[in-house]
Amino acid sequence: MSSIDTREGTPTQSTTTTDVTRFRDHSAPGTESATKTTVSLIIPVRNEARNIAWVLSQVPDEVTEIILVDGESTDATLVTARSVRPDIRIVQQEGVGKGSALRTGFFAARGDVIVMMDADGSMAPQEIPHYLHFLTNGYDFVKGSRFVAGGGSLDITRFRTLGNRFLLGVFNSLYDTHLTDLCYGFCAFHRRYLEHLKLSATGFEIEAEMIAGAMRSGLRIAEVPSLEMPRRSGKSNLHALRDGTRVLQAVLDAHSDETTGFLTRMTHPRRRHAAEITASSPGSA
């Protein structure tokens, strides 16, 4: 079971395995504790020369490492990035697709915390301290939401909105939770949990796969308001129908793996024998 506390202020404690807490306050919290951790910002890029300078110039001081994962850009993306941030780390993407790019960046990260965001200017780096605030106050995985008070989107189409609602409904039903956004790639988490997420997706579906992995691992999840803006220049690589289908398949596969693992544990001979002993012991119901 999951719980959601929609009250403003300090989150309440919950006895459930996985907390999903939604915050409405969009004011920038204090980040004194956040500066004590190292933070790696992962940004996948491919031909984003017209956008990357704006993004990098907005990155807050709390970020200690910026990793640009390059998907074989043919424009001036890398030159522009180095001119704005000479300290940037550039790694070459392994595989094809956004999921492959993010996984490449995750494994290259050195920080205690990993933050992921897009390179097209649709996400505001100024929101990063808000994510870090909750990671340093008991949460394991923080995800942005466009659909809570204080959040919003200036870019999403009606078709994509309907698709997101459908996919979100499937996810919430399968995992018995009440998330408000599923297909949004502004997230942050403690790097120590990376292996527990068990990521394998190669495309946009990685965002849903990450949330499913966090739920499956029993991580404490917080949703924070985020404003999605139109990309500053160029055309998105997102194909709503194709990528939406991949997201649905990823959600179903992740839940199927969880169900299969549970059934395997319950039918294991040792576990079944232990259950039989417990059932036959004196005083058992």
Side-chain angles (χ1 to χ4, degrees):
M1 294 289 292
S2 302
S3 66
I4 296 179
D5 181 5
T6 58
R7 294 172 295 178
E8 297 180 4
T10 304
T12 57
Q13 294 294 324
S14 170
T15 57
T16 57
T17 304
T18 302
D19 281 331
V20 180
T21 305
R22 184 185 307 145
F23 296 91
R24 290 180 174 174
D25 183 12
H26 201 207
S27 60
T31 55
E32 180 179 353
S33 59
T35 59
K36 298 179 182 179
T37 63
T38 54
V39 179
S40 296
L41 175 61
I42 312 300
I43 308 177
V45 295
R46 187 173 186 273
N47 297 332
E48 296 286 0
R50 295 184 179 182
N51 301 320
I52 195 62
W54 181 88
V55 174
L56 294 178
S57 67
Q58 306 296 318
V59 174
D61 292 339
E62 287 83 358
V63 173
T64 55
E65 175 184 56
I66 304 176
I67 298 179
L68 215 62
V69 185
D70 180 47
E72 299 184 352
S73 295
T74 57
D75 65 1
T77 296
L78 304 187
V79 174
T80 303
R82 288 193 180 101
S83 70
V84 178
R85 291 295 299 249
D87 59 334
I88 200 167
R89 287 182 61 200
I90 297 176
V91 299
Q92 293 301 311
Q93 177 176 331
E94 297 180 6
V96 178
K98 183 179 182 180
S100 298
L102 285 172
R103 288 190 290 112
T104 299
F106 293 162
F107 288 113
R110 301 167 181 163
D112 302 315
V113 167
I114 292 176
V115 181
M116 54 181 268
M117 66 178 300
D118 293 345
D120 59 5
S122 63
M123 301 169 182
Q126 297 94 327
E127 293 181 1
I128 291 176
H130 197 57
Y131 290 68
L132 300 180
H133 172 77
F134 293 105
L135 287 177
T136 56
N137 283 276
Y139 286 84
D140 308 311
F141 190 100
V142 182
K143 57 182 296 296
S145 173
R146 298 162 291 181
F147 305 115
V148 293
S153 177
L154 304 177
D155 181 61
I156 194 168
T157 64
R158 180 171 177 80
F159 180 70
R160 285 172 53 205
T161 299
L162 293 174
N164 186 72
R165 288 178 181 173
F166 168 74
L167 294 169
L168 185 65
V170 173
F171 187 94
N172 285 339
S173 177
L174 290 176
Y175 286 92
D176 192 22
T177 188
H178 302 283
L179 296 177
T180 63
D181 205 345
L182 182 66
C183 305
Y184 188 54
F186 203 166
C187 301
F189 59 95
H190 292 287
R191 184 166 64 93
R192 61 177 175 264
Y193 295 121
L194 178 58
E195 292 186 3
H196 292 274
L197 299 181
K198 297 181 180 179
L199 303 176
S200 61
T202 59
F204 285 92
E205 70 275 9
I206 193 169
E207 298 156 3
E209 185 182 52
M210 290 176 67
I211 301 170
M215 294 288 297
R216 182 176 59 242
S217 301
L219 303 187
R220 292 196 70 198
I221 301 172
E223 282 192 313
V224 298
S226 183
L227 175 63
E228 180 186 36
M229 300 170 287
R231 62 179 290 126
R232 296 178 65 83
S233 179
K235 185 178 180 181
S236 173
N237 293 318
L238 176 69
H239 297 278
L241 186 58
R242 180 197 66 189
D243 292 317
T245 301
R246 294 183 62 160
V247 169
L248 177 60
Q249 190 62 57
V251 169
L252 295 176
D253 288 347
H255 189 265
S256 176
D257 290 343
E258 180 182 13
T259 303
T260 301
F262 173 78
L263 292 176
T264 299
R265 292 192 298 272
M266 292 305 296
T267 56
H268 190 280
R270 291 184 179 179
R271 289 186 179 272
R272 185 171 64 248
H273 181 61
E276 291 172 351
I277 292 175
T278 300
S280 60
S281 60
S284 61

